Amino acid sequence: MTVARVIVDVPSRDTDRPFDYAIPERLKDWVEVGSRVAVPFGPRKLQGIVTALAEDADADVDLAKLKPLEDVLDALPPLSAELVELGEWMSRRWLCPLTVALQAMLPAALKGRSEKYVSPAAGVQWTDGEIADSGGLLLALGKGKPLKLDALLRQYPEQGPTLKRWIRQGRLEEKQQVEDKSAGKSVLTVFPGPPEKLLQAAENMPARASKQRELLRFLAVRGAEPVAVARLTEEAAVALSTVRALEEKGLVEIRPVTEDRDPYADRDFPASSPMTLTPKQAAALAPIQAAIDAREAGAFLLHGVTGSGKTEVYLQAIQRCLEQGREAIVLVPEISLTPQMVERFKSRFGSKVAVLHSRLSNGERYDEWRKIREGRAQVAVGARSAIFAPFASIGLIVIDEEHETSYKQEESPKYHARDVSIERARQHGAAVVLGSATPSLETYEAAKHARGGRRSGLGDIGYIAMPERVANRPLPGVSIVDMREELKMGNRAMFSRPLADAIRDRLEKQEQMVLLLNRRGYATFVMCRSCGYTAACPHCEISLTYHRGSANLRCHYCGYSEAEPKTCPSCESPHIRFFGTGTQKVEEALAAAFPGIRVIRMDVDTTTEKGSHERWLTEFRERRADVLLGTQMVAKGLDFPYVTLVGVLAADAALRLPDFRAAERTFQLLTQVAGRAGRHELPGEVIIQAYEPDHEAITSVQGHDYDGFVERALLLRNQLGYPPYGRLICVTFSHESVPMLLSVGERFASAARETASGMGVGRSFDGAGGDALEVLGPVSSPIARLKDRYRFQCMVKYRGEVDASQVVSRALAGMADAVKKGGVQVSVDVDPQMML
Ligand code: ADP
Ligand code: ZN
Ligand code: ZN
């Protein structure tokens, strides 16, 4: 191979194609597809990823004129050929530059240009043959100090394959200094020689060195395992000087070893063994195991009510996958990635589990990532981006709570982990299990109607139902309180009488409660009661949110803040009021209404600090509080035996948001939070307060009627041509000038319409079926201005076999120059999840 095709890391459409570089002789054995390289690019030096190797340059290019690669940045390529291919698929699927997709797969620690070091792994033995064949490489490494990778590359260019093999086998380690507050603890470690040698040395030791002799005997009995100096001095009850004396005599070796920062290392996880499955669980597991055995790609929706025992099904499916020598990825929403959740996997699979979530430091994340890549972990549990875990042979991908919006990334690449999982499974011949009590309408439709031969974005999905809780525990009783009636009866408090009674009752019985404040779209905004003025961000046209702690108003989009006004800035009336209800206000109201009540408040303000989320949950579990009060955060996956009451304040707050998924989201959230009650011996009760108690999204929760809710919702979606029947691509333009945006938006809309009709696609969404594409807009975006730029959007709505991504990218390509010259920013969201 003489030519490397490189995608340089500049996230723009101009550079979004491979550039060819010559591979210099000294790097021949080091460059692979997926290697991270340094390349000259005009006057600059850039980083890039090798996406292909070729024997020769393109026909019209003179090989001698190609610039050479400057460097390979890692000994092992951080991406595999499979992940590079996945990146290419993502960039087509979500219309993003390829480098953006590839970079999303790398741990942050690998994005910079920090120096790489190679050193032997602790306690590894080398044969004389290996030492001789390594051409001096092992001797150099044997000195104990980690060596710089680029020095090794220069000195031992022909040892590339050998060095890489040893790293893959875990005999050599490739590391980099990651700047971290909790940075890699380096532990001084003793490497004893062979026991026979130690015993012999003990015999020959002069009598006055009795301490050293004892230590030698101790080490000989202990075996050849390396041991931390601190631990050895304690176990053998000797001074450090004694150990050092043996080192001077060449009997033991002492050198620093960097420990992996396993964030769960100091926790004990009691071992668990597989449970005897209930008949429903066994029936659910069978087709999944069959798919794993068949090694053919296949996807399943595991539709199980809260408490139906889905996790045990996941665990046993993973076990089957591991028995086959294959690997498994488990995705859970970031917010449910609690120690409690992790424990269920760690206690079953021990150190085979690597955990990836955003609260890890860069160094911790890098360590977990290396565990996966080097085959020291076979199960990756993590949030969205864990879908890119660098496994070589995946047998199973589980996505728990598959309906969660956090699986869609809102910045570029705007990928959905569910779609990526299906593509990765296709490449690996793996099974995908999508688990939820309230599946997204997209997944549900794909599963229910798979046999009808209708195409969906997900392809065919098998449907598995677990409609009952384990051990016949009943689903909690749900009652709905009409808050308008409460007001009519003269109750102006935050808590209705039934909820207040229930809270008092639980306090007496010393049981626990979860209170959810559905705050999405229910901002704590400031409004003047005299003139109607509301405080908005001067840069974003978003209502400012009132923060009591700091007594200021803040924009949650750009961070702008201003002091709390005492009088209306517009009419100077003193009747300026803070509307809406924040968790702080509820906390105060609880304290006032129920003296002595112990409340833990969990929201973005109280959980930003690392580890705080977990601390609150532990405190609640230990029953040091009566109430867990919070936003969406308290709804997910928590499992507390003493919770017998769940209360929802303002259940319908988000129902009227301008988003076609508003009802679906509300229903999912309420069902989720209701599932927190009565999961164990004590029965549970749910009280929902609402101003629109007759809305289907709320009444369906009462009957635990997912199927009914969804069938009606799907009917409506079908009529309106919304997903899953039609699909959407949202193209947003932003600029300081509105006329500029209008003209660019119009141009895009007509170009897209023309392109589509050129492809023979009709515009009409009437009637059933048939290909259709229409372009809505340009209209002002729901967030009309952000950081001083106005925003307009066009919505491309289509159905059938239309290649709408092609339509959009061709239309954009046709106007690329104008957009660039004018300084217009374009952002494309394929299958948008957030309509706000
Ligand atoms: P889900 O994930 O569907 O909400 P879980 O997996 O949390 O449900 O299971 C609910 C409870 O039932 C847990 O306490 C779990 O330990 C228990 N459980 C699950 N499967 C079994 C089983 N086969 N036998 C006994 N208990 C089980
Ligand atoms: Zn006013
Ligand atoms: Zn702002």
Side-chain angles (χ1 to χ4, degrees), residues 360-371:
L360 297 180
S361 68
N362 283 350
E364 288 168 336
R365 210 179 157 79
Y366 176 59
D367 288 341
E368 295 296 290
W369 181 86
R370 284 194 309 126
K371 256 195 230 169

Side-chain angles (χ1 to χ4, degrees), residues 537-542 544 555-560 786-787:
C537 174
H539 310 287
C540 304
E541 293 194 4
I542 294 283
L544 293 173
C555 170
H556 278 189
Y557 283 83
C558 73
Y560 167 86
L786 201 58
K787 297 176 193 167

Side-chain angles (χ1 to χ4, degrees), residues 128-423:
D128 291 344
E130 283 172 334
I131 293 171
D133 290 346
S134 74
L137 174 69
L138 282 178
L139 289 178
L141 285 169
K143 300 241 167 66
K145 259 206 355 231
L147 293 182
K148 281 189 183 171
L149 176 66
D150 61 340
L152 289 175
L153 283 172
R154 271 166 232 289
Q155 270 178 294
Y156 307 98
E158 70 289 354
Q159 295 296 334
T162 317
L163 188 117
K164 284 195 253 183
R165 189 176 71 242
W166 284 335
I167 295 176
R168 285 205 174 95
Q169 291 170 347
R171 299 174 76 193
L172 293 181
E173 289 188 3
E174 175 187 16
K175 287 204 183 174
Q176 72 180 32
Q177 235 44 51
V178 179
E179 300 207 4
D180 243 19
K181 280 174 214 101
S182 63
K185 282 179 288 176
S186 163
V187 176
L188 218 49
T189 305
V190 179
F191 293 82
E196 317 82 65
K197 193 176 152 201
L198 296 179
L199 284 175
Q200 203 189 350
E203 294 305 311
N204 301 335
M205 199 58 79
R208 63 191 152 73
S210 64
K211 279 281 173 202
Q212 290 178 41
R213 188 159 58 198
E214 270 174 46
L215 180 56
L216 282 170
R217 294 215 172 101
F218 181 88
L219 281 170
V221 174
R222 202 178 174 285
E225 277 284 296
V227 54
V229 170
R231 178 141 169 228
L232 179 65
T233 52
E234 197 184 307
E235 279 182 9
V238 295
L240 178 61
S241 57
T242 315
V243 188
R244 285 285 182 200
L246 294 187
E247 185 197 16
E248 270 160 38
K249 296 192 172 88
L251 295 166
V252 300
E253 199 188 318
I254 300 180
R255 56 185 158 91
V257 169
T258 356
E259 284 197 326
D260 277 357
R261 289 149 286 211
D262 179 350
Y264 294 96
D266 50 359
R267 296 217 179 95
D268 274 340
F269 293 105
S272 80
S273 38
M275 291 181 184
T276 309
L277 296 182
T278 64
K280 279 273 189 287
Q281 283 173 317
L285 182 61
I288 298 169
Q289 283 188 336
I292 295 172
D293 291 348
R295 293 176 180 255
E296 271 169 24
F300 300 92
L301 167 58
L302 178 56
H303 183 188
V305 297
T306 54
S308 59
K310 294 186 288 294
T311 310
E312 188 60 30
V313 175
Y314 304 153
L315 288 168
Q316 300 201 15
I318 294 168
Q319 190 178 340
R320 173 68 67 106
C321 166
L322 297 185
E323 282 162 8
Q324 288 190 354
R326 296 202 287 167
E327 295 131 351
I329 296 175
V330 182
L331 299 190
V332 293
E334 182 73 52
I335 207 81
S336 337
L337 206 49
T338 57
Q340 190 190 359
M341 182 64 165
V342 170
E343 177 178 343
R344 296 179 79 171
F345 292 89
K346 284 244 177 188
S347 60
R348 192 69 57 87
F349 304 112
S351 61
K352 290 194 172 89
V353 179
V355 182
L356 300 162
H357 60 74
S358 66
R359 293 190 302 281
L360 297 180
S361 68
N362 283 350
E364 288 168 336
R365 210 179 157 79
Y366 176 59
D367 288 341
E368 295 296 290
W369 181 86
R370 284 194 309 126
K371 256 195 230 169
I372 295 167
R373 185 185 64 165
E374 286 158 22
R376 285 178 286 133
Q378 285 77 40
V379 182
V381 179
R384 179 177 61 223
S385 64
I387 194 60
F388 303 121
F391 284 128
S393 167
I394 300 170
L396 175 69
I397 302 175
V398 172
I399 303 191
D400 191 31
E401 312 283 5
E402 69 85 30
H403 61 278
E404 273 291 312
T405 49
S406 63
Y407 288 126
K408 174 83 169 14
Q409 177 154 299
E410 292 299 333
E411 320 77 82
S412 186
K414 300 185 177 182
Y415 69 93
H416 200 303
R418 185 174 57 209
D419 300 338
V420 177
S421 77
I422 289 185
E423 177 62 15

